Amino acid sequence: MSRKVGLSANASQFTLEGEPFRVLGGSVHYFRVPRAYWRDRLMKMKACGINTLTTYVPWSLHQPERGVFNFYTQLDLVAYINLAAELGLWVILRPGPYISSELDLGGLPSWLLRDGSMRLRTTHPGFTQAVNTFFDKLIPRVVPLQFKKGGPIIAVQVENEYGSFAKDESYMLFIKEALQSKGISELLLTSDYHNTLKSGGVDGAIRSLKLQKLNQMELQDLNAIQPNSPTMVMDYWTGWYDVWGDLHHVLPPEDMMSTVREILRRGMSVNLYMFHGGSSFGFMSGARADPSYKALIPSYDYDAPLSEAGEYTPKYHLLRDLLSLYNSSFPDMPALHYRESYEPAIMYQHLSLWDALSFTEGPFKSPKPVSMENLPVNNRNGQSYGYTLYEATITSGGLLKSGDNVRDRALVFVDRSYIGLFKRNESLQGRRTLSLLVENCGRVHQGRDLDKQHKGLVGDILLNNTPLRDFTMYSLDMKPSFIDSLYQAPWRSLPDTPSFPGFFMGRLFAYGYPSDTFVKLPGWEKGVVFINGLNLGRYWSIGPQQALYLPGPFLNSGINQVIVFEEQEGDYKIHFEDTPDLGMTADIQ
């Protein structure tokens, strides 16, 4: 095939190098799949009849600090795109800078919020400068991978669902020109809900839809704005995400199939979001704001055709049958990985939170509480994730009030004894230390309040209506360097009544070649699991998710260190089972 024209949208059908072409796409995010499994997941997608891989690019992970860029190992985007090409998949790249994707702050780095006047997703100079700096590092890496240069990238999406935000009319043009000026020359797309198509588009980019149910009105909306163009459903949602304290959402296979069948019958192009969801490891999950704040779970299974652990589902088999009508030759379906139940890890050592504080960066002192983002940590980039401990001296008891200044959840201690999640305590005498352990449960990933996503204490805490002053603050972002440093801490043999919050250590033995497994924590309340220093994600007894996916490649043959940070109560034993448990299900309405 010559490589002169690329993907074009000049008629009712896409053409690729002049030949009719239909995008049969699937989203798989490299940052949500262990690198050792990239090939497995993409081969399974190829074997289903998908011809195009789509992926977002998470700015927050690639640039964790202003001066630090990471395009290596798990975040080696170039290797991922080259792998897609090797397997015969085309690529649609979605570099943002805002991607939503159910990530903390929609994939924007939290250090942007250190600018007190910041207006995210606008042409505010502090934002455009940061975007240009990031794109200067990102775009040159992908320019050689474009179709016309012999690579697999056939299209690039400009921003994401900007129509539902639309605070700055010149912003989309700025992003489009930033991409093109740095060397992007393939077809450009935008992607929006049908009712925000107009405000989300930009001249010179094809508009596309996001939807879960196909209705005539949505197609007419698109056709009215963009006649005589191919129709593309850029995000057909194969399922949905889950939040803590709710049920596990599923879309029945027959509902998915009837919609996809109809999209194809009409000659439209489609991308399945997600084809394989994977996992939001560590603290990368976002949160939703409406109708009330709810944090997302670490599983990003999404009820997609390929499950979180890469298993085939009924949706996969039905989809493969349907796509065989549109694709002549399919590779065989790859064999599944073995999954294993391991012996439980018995927790044999304990470290109280208070004894771990000397291993944090800090402490920092300030008359007023300082939000996580504004703490002078991480080379003055602030704290992105995790917990912050705020301590102040009080001289009387009384009523403690937080207003709306705790983001998002605080355990309250007096002289380091737990008294509750903000409750009245009348009986204090003398000077006491009041401690608030505040957790960032996840910044909202979409909506109009992105600028207001500061975490920690974002204002005054009142005791008897008087603001507390003179805080000492400890940043507990629980990065790998912190977890690794704890080996020097004063761990003790597990006492009969260990103190909480605390860290618990145990061992998992894996013989031979380690297999995938699922971490279950019956009897534990809420916390975080670390395997060999790697943050697997949060657990919380309220569910729905009751097991964390632990991929075999994260384990060593032999001894594996398991550390659990538990806020309130634990069972001293961690189970490893061979089946997932995403909780009780509810059909998506």
Side-chain angles (χ1 to χ4, degrees), residues 63-229:
Q63 194 182 358
E65 299 177 12
R66 271 193 189 273
V68 176
F69 296 88
N70 181 355
F71 290 94
Y72 312 103
T73 57
Q74 186 61 53
L75 294 170
D76 191 338
L77 175 61
V78 169
Y80 188 64
I81 295 171
N82 281 327
L83 173 62
E86 179 198 325
L87 298 177
L89 291 163
W90 301 113
V91 173
I92 296 177
L93 191 67
R94 312 214 263 183
Y98 166 84
I99 61 174
S100 181
S101 190
E102 285 74 64
L103 289 182
D104 183 284
L105 206 57
L108 298 174
S110 65
W111 46 257
L112 290 167
L113 297 174
R114 286 175 73 85
D115 171 352
S117 62
M118 176 55 69
R119 296 200 315 284
L120 301 172
R121 302 178 75 192
T122 69
T123 50
H124 173 75
F127 188 70
T128 55
Q129 286 158 12
V131 169
N132 276 320
T133 302
F134 173 54
F135 276 5
D136 282 341
K137 294 284 192 216
L138 167 66
I139 303 303
R141 288 180 157 82
V142 297
V143 162
L145 303 173
Q146 295 179 101
F147 177 87
K148 297 196 206 63
K149 298 188 186 297
I153 298 175
I154 54 172
V156 174
Q157 184 179 302
V158 184
E159 238 263 352
N160 187 44
E161 57 191 44
Y162 194 68
S164 61
F165 192 76
K167 291 186 179 184
D168 184 335
E169 286 182 6
S170 50
Y171 172 69
M172 286 295 280
L173 186 62
F174 158 71
I175 298 294
K176 181 190 130 178
E177 289 177 348
L179 292 168
Q180 289 178 326
S181 66
K182 295 175 204 308
I184 295 295
S185 58
E186 301 299 335
L187 182 76
L188 297 179
L189 299 159
T190 57
S191 177
D192 283 282
Y193 312 109
H194 77 101
N195 55 344
T196 58
L197 275 166
K198 216 178 185 81
S199 47
V202 61
D203 285 348
I206 290 288
R207 289 170 164 88
S208 67
L209 282 167
K210 295 173 180 272
L211 53 83
Q212 191 155 59
K213 290 191 171 76
L214 197 63
N215 68 48
Q216 195 56 37
M217 191 181 81
E218 301 195 2
L219 298 180
Q220 283 165 349
D221 286 351
L222 180 57
N223 210 21
I225 295 171
Q226 186 170 273
N228 313 319
S229 286

Side-chain angles (χ1 to χ4, degrees), residues 481-553:
S481 55
F482 168 74
I483 298 297
D484 290 346
S485 73
L486 290 183
Y487 79 90
Q488 305 165 324
W491 292 85
R492 297 192 172 85
S493 294
L494 192 68
D496 290 341
T497 53
S499 66
F500 294 93
F503 295 88
F504 296 78
M505 191 192 296
R507 287 180 181 154
L508 161 68
F509 293 93
Y511 298 102
Y513 194 75
S515 304
D516 288 1
T517 189
F518 296 88
V519 184
K520 297 195 179 168
L521 299 108
W524 299 76
E525 180 56 31
K526 184 179 190 306
V528 190
V529 179
F530 302 88
I531 305 285
N532 296 325
L534 189 94
N535 183 340
L536 206 56
R538 299 178 181 89
Y539 63 90
W540 194 355
S541 62
I542 63 171
Q545 184 175 0
Q546 298 293 342
L548 291 172
Y549 173 52
L550 171 50

Side-chain angles (χ1 to χ4, degrees), residues 413-464:
F413 306 84
V414 172
D415 284 346
R416 299 189 165 173
S417 292
Y418 178 65
I419 62 166
L421 286 152
F422 276 108
K423 67 179 193 186
R424 198 177 176 117
N425 193 319
E426 296 287 8
S427 58
L428 304 178
Q429 300 295 325
R431 290 171 65 83
R432 301 292 187 94
T433 300
L434 179 76
S435 308
L436 285 85
L437 181 65
V438 184
E439 180 192 4
N440 164 12
C441 297
R443 293 183 188 83
V444 164
H445 58 261
Q446 65 185 146
R448 300 183 63 80
D449 287 336
L450 291 178
D451 301 336
K452 304 186 183 106
Q453 294 304 310
H454 293 81
K455 297 298 181 181
L457 292 184
V458 299
D460 285 332
I461 300 295
L462 307 180
L463 180 62
N464 300 327

Side-chain angles (χ1 to χ4, degrees), residues 242-246 294-298 538-540 542-545:
D242 291 332
V243 297
W244 288 115
D246 205 342
K294 291 269 199 230
L296 269 62
I297 64 169
R538 299 178 181 89
Y539 63 90
W540 194 355
I542 63 171
Q545 184 175 0

Side-chain angles (χ1 to χ4, degrees), residues 374-439:
N374 289 319
L375 287 170
V377 295
N378 297 319
N379 304 313
R380 305 197 78 78
N381 287 278
Q383 180 180 340
S384 291
Y385 310 113
Y387 298 78
T388 305
L389 183 73
Y390 296 84
E391 295 198 324
T393 300
I394 55 175
T395 53
S396 72
L399 184 62
L400 199 58
K401 284 200 278 200
S402 66
D404 187 26
N405 292 329
V406 169
R407 308 286 171 84
D408 295 294
R409 196 170 170 273
L411 302 178
V412 184
F413 306 84
V414 172
D415 284 346
R416 299 189 165 173
S417 292
Y418 178 65
I419 62 166
L421 286 152
F422 276 108
K423 67 179 193 186
R424 198 177 176 117
N425 193 319
E426 296 287 8
S427 58
L428 304 178
Q429 300 295 325
R431 290 171 65 83
R432 301 292 187 94
T433 300
L434 179 76
S435 308
L436 285 85
L437 181 65
V438 184
E439 180 192 4

